[in-house]
Amino acid sequence: MIGLGVMGSNLALNVADHGFRVAAWNREPQTTEKFCAANPDKPLTATRALVDFVNELERPRRIMMMIKAGAPVDEMLGKLIPLLEPGDVVIDGGNSWFKDTQARAELALETGLHFVGSGVSGGEEGARFGPSLMPGGTKESWEAIREIFEAIAARSDSGPCVTYCGPDGAGHFVKMVHNGIEYGDMQLIAEAYDLLRRGLGCGADELAEIFESWNQGALQSFLIEITAKIFRVRDADGGPLVDKVLDKAGQKGTGKWTAQVALDLGVSIPTIAAAIDARVLSSMKDERVAASRVFGVSPGLQPGDREQFVRDVHDALYAAKICSYAQGFALMRAGSREWKWGLDLREIARIWKAGCIIRAKFLDSIMRAYERNEDVTTLLLDDAFRDDLTRSQDAWRRCTTFAQSNGIAVPAFSASLAYFDSYRTANLPQNLTQAQRDFFGAHTYQRSDKGADAPFVHSEWE
C-alpha cells in the first residue's frame, strides 16, 4: 500500500484483517513507522526506501496507490516502473480521470506491467470494513488481485461488492458515474427536505420521523438513513445542528466530469447536471442573501392535507430517483459502447448494493430490470419502473407545481420531470429549433413525412 492517509491506512488494515501480509510505504517514513507501530498485531511491514518496499513483495507484485489524483499518480508511476518486472500489477485507487487511466494503462503495457484503475467507494468506514470496488484493467490483472479484492469488499445478499468492470479506464469511469448519481441522489433528498421544511413547516423531529419511515420502504438507502440521523443531532444550545450548517455544498470534480462526458457522448443527464448547478449556486451565499432582500419571498401557499403532501413528496422523490439512475446507467451504456468495455450493468447495480455511498434497496430493482432485459435502452422502459412512474407522476407534478408556486427551488425534481416528459413525447418542439438552424445557417433538416431515413434538405425560408 502506497499512501497512508485515511483511505490508504484503512484499506491496508482491511487487507491485513483478511490474512494477507501488507508492505506499507508513505513519502514521510515516520508516517509509515507510526502506522505499523500502532497496529503491532497486524501482518504489516514498514519500509522506508521504495526499492525496499518493492523487494518485500511476492511476484507478481500487487501494489495499490491511495494518493492524490493527477500528477502525483504519474510521478509515483515514474518511480515504480524502473523497479518492477513484467506481470506486476499497479492499482490506482483514487478518483482519477478515466482518460488518464487509459493512458497510464497503455504506458504500463509497453513495459509488460498491468495498470488497474479502481473505483473505491464507501468513505473511510467502507475502506476499513468493506468498500464497493470497481476495478478496470487487463483480465490478467483482475485474476492477480481478485482474491484480495473479493476478500476486502463489502458483502450484500448478492455476494462481494466487486466485479471486473472492463479494460483500461472502465473502473474509473464507473466510479465517476457512481459519483454523478450520488450528486443527483443528494440533491433530490435536499429538495424533498426543503419542501417539507419550508412548504409544510416540519421541524427537525418530524423530519427525522418522516425520513425514518421512508427508510423502511422503497426509498431505503444509506443516504436516507443518515439524513434521518442528521435531524436527530442537537447543537450545544439544544437546537438542531443541521440548522447551523452553512448552506454551501462543496464538490471535488467527479460530478463535473460526469456532465462533461455526457455532453461528449450526447447523453442527457439533466438531474445530475441540476445537482451540480445547485452546488455552484449554493456557493454564491453573499449574492443570494443580497438577492433575497431585493426579490423577497413568494406567497406562502399551504398544502391542504399534510399527510397527503408527505406522501406526494415521497412519491416525487422516488420517481425523480428513477430518472436520475436511468440517466446514469444510460451514460454507462454509452461509454461502454464508445470505448468497447463490455460493461455489465446488472453487475454494476449488484456491487453498489453495499459498501458504497448510493447503496440502496432500489438497486435490487435495477438488477431485476437488467435480468429481464440486459439490452433495455433505458430503465424508464422496464415494466416495473414504467408502472412506478405512471403511479407516481400525479404526486410528482403536484409537488413541482407547489414548489414553483411558493418560490421553492426544486431543480432536480423539475429536471427529472422534464426528462420524463420529453422522453415520453412523440413530437417535441425541436422541429422549430432545426428550422431556425436551417434558416440562419443552412444546416439542413429531414422531412417528417419522408420517414426516419429521409435525406437532409435545405429550404429558403425568406
Side-chain angles (χ1 to χ4, degrees):
M1 185 65 67
I2 291 177
L4 294 173
V6 172
M7 292 294 288
S9 59
N10 279 350
L11 276 171
L13 292 173
N14 188 352
V15 174
D17 281 347
H18 287 87
F20 302 98
R21 292 181 58 241
V22 182
W25 185 90
N26 198 77
R27 62 182 178 179
E28 294 90 9
Q30 61 271 27
T31 299
T32 312
E33 291 162 3
K34 183 178 178 181
F35 168 68
C36 292
N39 297 279
D41 58 327
K42 307 292 185 187
L44 303 169
T45 300
T47 60
R48 296 181 68 87
L50 203 57
V51 64
D52 295 332
F53 168 79
V54 169
N55 288 337
E56 281 287 335
L57 304 176
E58 66 180 28
R59 294 165 179 74
R61 298 176 178 91
R62 289 157 292 183
I63 298 172
M64 189 162 191
M65 299 184 295
M66 292 302 295
I67 60 179
K68 187 176 179 180
V73 177
D74 293 314
E75 180 182 343
M76 182 54 63
L77 266 180
K79 293 176 180 178
L80 281 173
I81 286 175
L83 304 176
L84 300 178
E85 298 173 329
D88 290 345
V89 180
V90 181
I91 308 157
D92 173 16
N95 278 330
S96 290
W97 173 232
F98 77 95
K99 289 192 175 180
D100 288 345
T101 304
Q102 288 178 313
R104 290 164 186 154
E106 187 175 345
L107 172 66
L109 283 176
E110 292 174 1
T111 60
L113 302 176
H114 298 283
F115 185 81
V116 174
S118 180
V120 179
S121 182
E124 58 184 276
E125 183 177 353
R128 182 65 185 87
F129 300 108
S132 175
L133 297 165
M134 296 150 255
T138 61
K139 288 186 177 179
E140 292 85 355
S141 66
W142 167 236
E143 291 306 322
I145 66 174
R146 183 172 187 164
E147 182 184 10
I148 299 173
F149 269 39
E150 288 185 344
I152 68 171
R155 301 190 75 86
S156 74
D157 55 5
S158 298
C161 293
V162 58
T163 193
Y164 172 65
C165 291
D168 54 72
H172 275 146
F173 183 90
V174 170
K175 177 57 163 56
M176 176 194 75
V177 176
H178 166 282
N179 286 19
I181 292 172
E182 180 185 309
Y183 273 53
D185 250 357
M186 294 175 73
Q187 178 61 27
L188 290 169
I189 292 170
E191 291 175 18
Y193 153 64
D194 209 20
L195 281 167
L196 296 170
R197 176 186 59 159
R198 289 203 286 158
L200 198 57
C202 293
D205 289 339
E206 187 177 4
L207 287 166
E209 291 174 5
I210 289 170
F211 277 84
E212 284 167 357
S213 68
W214 287 359
N215 199 45
Q216 305 305 310
L219 288 173
Q220 183 183 46
S221 68
F222 171 71
L223 286 171
I224 293 290
E225 176 189 348
I226 67 169
T227 300
K229 290 178 178 178
I230 286 169
F231 293 132
R232 295 288 189 197
V233 178
R234 298 288 169 173
D235 194 20
D237 64 4
L241 181 57
V242 68
D243 291 348
K244 303 294 175 60
V245 178
L246 187 66
D247 57 331
K248 291 172 66 172
Q251 54 182 313
K252 291 187 175 180
T254 47
K256 178 183 70 176
W257 291 346
T258 307
Q260 290 172 333
V261 173
L263 287 171
D264 291 340
L265 295 178
V267 178
S268 177
I269 57 164
T271 310
I272 296 170
I276 298 165
D277 285 342
R279 293 197 188 190
V280 173
L281 277 163
S282 79
S283 70
M284 301 160 59
K285 177 68 175 180
D286 293 343
E287 293 179 55
R288 290 187 290 110
V289 170
S292 71
R293 299 191 186 107
V294 174
F295 295 107
V297 296
S298 298
L301 305 177
Q302 294 297 316
D305 183 331
R306 287 179 66 88
E307 291 185 3
Q308 182 61 51
F309 187 75
V310 172
R311 289 194 295 270
D312 281 356
V313 175
H314 171 281
D315 290 351
L317 176 56
Y318 185 68
K321 182 185 181 82
I322 293 172
C323 289
S324 183
Y325 277 70
Q327 293 160 31
F329 275 79
L331 179 56
M332 287 190 289
R333 186 172 184 267
S336 181
R337 189 168 56 241
E338 174 72 15
W339 289 290
K340 300 178 175 57
W341 286 328
L343 294 180
D344 185 335
L345 299 181
R346 187 260 182 200
E347 268 289 276
I348 291 168
R350 183 190 70 77
I351 68 170
W352 288 351
K353 285 179 59 177
C356 70
I357 302 303
I358 64 171
R359 57 187 184 266
K361 178 180 179 180
F362 180 74
L363 290 156
D364 272 320
S365 300
I366 296 178
M367 281 178 60
R368 289 193 291 271
Y370 285 111
E371 288 165 4
R372 286 188 285 270
N373 180 5
E374 65 180 2
D375 296 320
V376 65
T377 54
T378 172
L379 291 171
L380 302 187
L381 296 180
D382 172 71
D383 289 347
F385 285 130
R386 180 199 63 204
D387 292 345
D388 288 340
L389 288 167
T390 300
R391 184 170 53 252
S392 301
Q393 66 169 307
D394 288 347
W396 195 4
R397 295 182 195 285
R398 286 194 295 269
C399 281
T400 306
T401 300
F402 175 86
Q404 292 173 344
S405 297
N406 280 273
I408 300 173
V410 286
F413 271 37
S414 301
S416 286
L417 183 56
Y419 176 80
F420 170 68
D421 283 338
S422 295
Y423 193 82
R424 70 184 187 89
T425 299
N427 295 298
L428 291 168
Q430 274 64 49
N431 59 321
L432 176 59
T433 304
Q434 193 62 19
Q436 291 171 329
R437 296 182 73 240
D438 190 51
F439 186 111
F440 65 68
H443 291 293
T444 73
Y445 63 94
Q446 292 172 289
R447 291 185 61 94
S448 61
D449 55 356
K450 298 296 183 182
D453 297 323
F456 283 85
V457 296
H458 166 63
S459 292
E460 294 296 332
W461 296 91
E462 284 192 292

